[in-house]
Every structure is written in C-alpha cells, then in structure tokens.
Amino acid sequence: GQLEEVSLPLYFGWFLLSSIQDKVRCTAMDFLKTLDTLEAFKKHLIDFTGKAEKEVDLEEYFEAKGTLHCTTKFCDYGKAEGAKEYAEKPAVKDLYGSAFELSLSALFVTPRTVGARVSLTEEQLLLWPADAEKEAGSASLPLGSRAHVTLGCAEGVEPVQTGLDLLEILALQQEGHQGELIEEMELGSLTYYGEGRWLLTLREPICSSACFSSFYG
Ligand code: ACK
C-alpha cells in the first residue's frame, strides 16, 4: 500500500551534530578563502571559469546543501537498488539512532563540488553498503572510499557528484599519480591533481560526533 512505499527514507547516513556543523563550515570557508588567493590556484583558474583572466570567489561559487551528513545508503524512498536489503541489515537496525565519532581527514575542491573526506572505522564500515564504490565505477578502491560530507555544489550540480569527485581523486592516487604538492598550509598539505581537483590533507583530522539515522525530506 501507500504507507509501505514511503516507509524507506531518501537516504541513511550519519548526521553531524549542529555545533560541529558550524565548525566544519567555518574551516571549509577559511580554506576556500585562502585557496582562491594562491598563485597556484590562479594559474589553474580556467578550470573553474573557462577563462584564464576571470577571477573567482570560491565562497560564492559554491552553494551550501542543507544539513551536513555522510550518506551511507541512498534509498530514494525504496526505488534505489538494494534499498530494502540495506534497511533490513542487522547492523543498520541495531545501530539506528546511535552516536558515532566521524573522522574528517581531508577537504577537496573541484569545479563541481567541495567536500570533506570521511575516514571510516571498522565498526562504521559495517554500515557501509558493499556496492557503494562499485556503483560509481570504482570497484578497485577500498570499501568506504566514497564516504564524504558534501559542503557545497556549484550552480546546477547535484550533491551526488561530491562522492564521485572524491573517488576520482582517490583513483588517481591509486594509479600512482602523486599530484603536485603545492604547499604546506596551516590546516595541512595542499595537492593539485589537475583539471581543477584540489586536495587538502588535514594535519589534524576533524573529529565530529554524528548520529546514524535517516532523512525523509
Ligand atoms: O551529498 P550526498 O552524499 O549526495 O547526500 C545527498 C543525499 O543522497 C540526498 O540527495 C546523496 N545521493 C543522491 N543520489 C545518490 C546516488 N545515486 N548514490 C549515492 N548517493 C546519492 C546525495
């Protein structure tokens, strides 16, 4: 019946506590503010603007996308493949509503999205769908590689893109691309991977309390 059809959420995930959301947003904003002033960034401006001379204000370039979370399973109210199976997993049922500590280990920026990489623990991986990386065509990357928090999207870009952008950077690393080490910033080391892909590996991962739950919208 109708009730059954809406009994699955839009997605399951970890929802960052609101106090830490502000901290994460501020850290990301500070990073964007610094990044677009760097000579190395200006050298590759064309990745973002399509024109070499044009300036870009990264803080305005990206639009925030609601409450900060790390999606585990996108269910699309049951329409997504494997949604029902995921919701019925014992770990999902047992841990629903529990508190976790997420480790945000890097920030990344592309012409499409800005996000934070989440490094999952063994326990957290119990909640990670086995096919999340495969679905995105990155079957050879370790489970959990796609885990991220979307911090913002460029105009017309959907948040699903953030995880795909992260996987793209990790695939380059796996293929042996070291990237170009740009500089050691206060927050960590900044590396450029070409085509507007920037990765800031945080010196100190940001630890964030988060509740495993779901979003209906
Ligand atoms: O930023 P996100 O992880 O990317 O959080 C949002 C959330 O679900 C609600 O839209 C994510 N999302 C959307 N479509 C998909 C998809 N096909 N696969 C995985 N995650 C998705 C989106």
Side-chain angles (χ1 to χ4, degrees), residues 178-182 189-193 197-201:
Q178 302 292 305
E180 183 189 340
L181 179 63
I182 302 297
S189 48
L190 178 67
T191 310
Y192 182 59
Y193 286 91
R197 296 168 296 202
W198 299 85
L199 180 73
L200 177 75
T201 306

Side-chain angles (χ1 to χ4, degrees), residues 41-211:
F41 183 82
K42 288 183 181 163
K43 202 168 94 188
H44 300 289
L45 250 186
I46 198 160
D47 298 332
F48 283 80
T49 59
K51 282 200 197 108
E53 321 80 55
K54 245 180 111 185
E55 295 251 316
V56 66
D57 179 341
L58 286 180
E59 281 180 281
E60 284 174 15
Y61 183 90
F62 294 109
E63 207 176 300
K65 291 282 177 188
T67 178
L68 297 188
H69 68 273
C70 174
T71 304
T72 53
K73 175 69 185 172
F74 178 70
C75 293
D76 199 10
Y77 307 110
K79 289 192 291 254
E81 207 181 307
K84 193 162 177 283
E85 292 74 11
Y86 180 83
E88 286 169 358
K89 271 164 74 111
V92 170
K93 288 187 162 174
D94 292 348
L95 296 169
Y96 195 83
S98 308
F100 288 81
E101 291 294 325
L102 290 187
S103 172
L104 279 47
S105 53
L107 299 178
F108 56 95
V109 174
T110 77
R112 299 164 295 279
T113 64
V114 52
R117 181 180 189 191
V118 179
S119 297
L120 299 176
T121 63
E122 289 297 319
E123 191 200 17
Q124 291 162 358
L125 282 171
L126 295 174
L127 294 169
W128 195 253
D131 56 358
E133 285 73 27
K134 227 174 292 164
E135 235 179 47
S138 306
S140 63
L141 287 170
L143 200 68
S145 296
R146 190 176 178 175
H148 69 280
V149 174
T150 296
L151 299 168
C153 296
E155 201 183 332
V157 174
E158 294 296 327
V160 64
Q161 186 61 44
T162 317
L164 306 178
D165 284 358
L166 173 60
L167 288 174
E168 218 179 86
I169 294 173
L170 298 180
L172 286 171
Q173 289 179 341
Q174 196 189 38
E175 288 162 19
H177 295 270
Q178 302 292 305
E180 183 189 340
L181 179 63
I182 302 297
E183 67 174 63
E184 293 296 335
M185 301 172 72
E186 212 176 296
L187 283 169
S189 48
L190 178 67
T191 310
Y192 182 59
Y193 286 91
E195 296 175 25
R197 296 168 296 202
W198 299 85
L199 180 73
L200 177 75
T201 306
L202 296 174
R203 206 175 303 285
E204 297 275 341
I206 301 171
C207 186
S208 170
S209 299
C211 177

